[in-house]
């Protein structure tokens, strides 16, 4: 009876599971023990990618070039004797494509503030593979612990405007697992909100009263002039 082929072992011998565009990776597939010749077939999501026949006990080496998002996902290999049915499958490897971070946008629901006011700042990168780590600065000084977002949403900090120096400038930076890429946001400054004078409502009220008096006087004048005119006839 022929020796049964064993479940092959799939190993990554070149590259990493987190890949960037145009990166080469090499997978090794070997079934031990097994009697050659053995046919090794590499699959991605159950679709055949490549096949190699081995007449000795050396592993089959599959070299892949990650050229698009379609090239990432789950890979596994199958070992079978030539001209036989069945076969055994290996463990799987799942590649993840790393996308560089985009320039983050720093914003606030309000652009104006005054002393004694609480405000918020949010930092958000629209593109880039997750997770994304954000850090906030005032000038060159770090003003918050780093926030690592596992979902595509903004990092937010809360600030208290206590003095003129708290109006800015503020910046944030973002980075992810893509190597050697860090992006900084635009600069953001709060502007001082004009405080309405306490006397302003009083002035407006007095102006309205004066206007109503003038209108009332203008309407009353004809009632005084008409009797006088009739009396003089």
């Amino acid at each position: 009876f022929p020796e049964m082929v064993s479940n092959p072992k799939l190993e990554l011998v070149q590259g990493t599971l987190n890949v960037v565009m145009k990166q080469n990776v090499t997978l090794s597939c070997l079934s031990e023990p097994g009697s050659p010749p053995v046919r090794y077939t590499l699959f991605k999501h159950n679709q055949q990618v490549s096949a190699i026949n081995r007449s000795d006990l050396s592993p089959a080496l599959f070299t892949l070039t990650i050229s698009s998002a379609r090239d990432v996902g789950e890979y596994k290999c199958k070992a079978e004797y030539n001209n036989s049915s069945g076969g055994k499958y290996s463990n799987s490897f799942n590649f993840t494509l790393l996308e560089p971070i985009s320039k983050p946008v720093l914003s606030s629901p309000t652009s104006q503030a005054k002393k004694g006011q609480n405000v918020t700042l949010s930092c958000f990168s629209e593109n880039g593979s997750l997770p994304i780590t954000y850090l906030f600065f005032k000038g060159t000084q770090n003003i918050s612990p780093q926030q690592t977002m596992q979902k595509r949403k903004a990092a937010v900090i809360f600030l208290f405007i206590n003095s003129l120096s708290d109006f800015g400038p503020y910046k944030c930076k973002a980075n992810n697992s893509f190597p050697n890429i860090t992006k900084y946001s635009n600069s953001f400054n709060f502007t001082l909100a004009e405080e309405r004078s306490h006397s302003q409502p009083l002035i407006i009220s007095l102006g309205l009263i004066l206007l109503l008096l003038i209108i009332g006087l203008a309407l009353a004048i004809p009632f005084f002039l008409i009797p006088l005119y009739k009396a003089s006839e």
Side-chain angles (χ1 to χ4, degrees), residues 146-165:
Q146 68 178 21
Q147 299 184 39
T148 300
M149 313 303 291
Q150 303 291 340
K151 297 182 179 180
R152 196 164 301 280
K153 63 179 183 177
V156 178
I157 62 168
F158 300 90
L159 303 170
F160 179 72
I161 303 297
N162 190 44
S163 64
L164 290 176
S165 64

Side-chain angles (χ1 to χ4, degrees), residues 3 56 62 66 73 78 93 108 123 143 171 188 225:
E3 185 180 3
D56 54 22
F62 299 96
I66 306 300
K78 179 183 180 182
F93 274 102
S108 175
C123 185
I143 59 171
K171 279 191 175 184
F188 185 92
L225 292 180

Side-chain angles (χ1 to χ4, degrees), residues 91-168:
N91 54 301
S92 62
F93 274 102
N94 202 327
F95 291 100
T96 301
L97 183 64
L98 296 182
E99 181 185 7
I101 204 81
S102 62
K103 180 179 179 179
V105 175
L106 184 64
S107 61
S108 175
T110 177
S111 60
Q112 294 186 333
K114 57 186 178 181
K115 291 181 182 180
Q117 182 178 343
N118 292 306
V119 294
T120 61
L121 280 174
S122 64
C123 185
F124 179 68
S125 288
E126 186 174 356
N127 298 311
S129 50
L130 298 171
I132 299 175
T133 299
Y134 296 97
L135 200 59
F136 291 84
F137 297 87
K138 184 174 74 173
T140 58
Q141 181 181 1
N142 173 23
I143 59 171
S144 72
Q146 68 178 21
Q147 299 184 39
T148 300
M149 313 303 291
Q150 303 291 340
K151 297 182 179 180
R152 196 164 301 280
K153 63 179 183 177
V156 178
I157 62 168
F158 300 90
L159 303 170
F160 179 72
I161 303 297
N162 190 44
S163 64
L164 290 176
S165 64
D166 295 327
F167 284 85

Side-chain angles (χ1 to χ4, degrees), residues 174-229:
N175 64 278
N176 60 1
S177 300
F178 196 92
N180 304 319
I181 295 291
T182 297
K183 295 288 183 69
Y184 286 86
S185 73
N186 54 299
S187 181
F188 185 92
N189 285 273
F190 292 99
T191 57
L192 181 62
E194 294 184 3
E195 296 186 3
R196 181 176 293 181
S197 172
H198 295 294
S199 62
Q200 188 174 359
L202 178 61
I203 295 173
I204 294 175
S205 299
L206 291 175
L208 290 174
I209 293 172
L210 181 60
L211 179 61
L212 292 174
L213 287 174
I214 293 173
I215 294 173
L217 184 60
L219 294 174
I221 287 176
F223 293 97
F224 288 102
L225 292 180
I226 291 174
L228 291 175
Y229 176 76

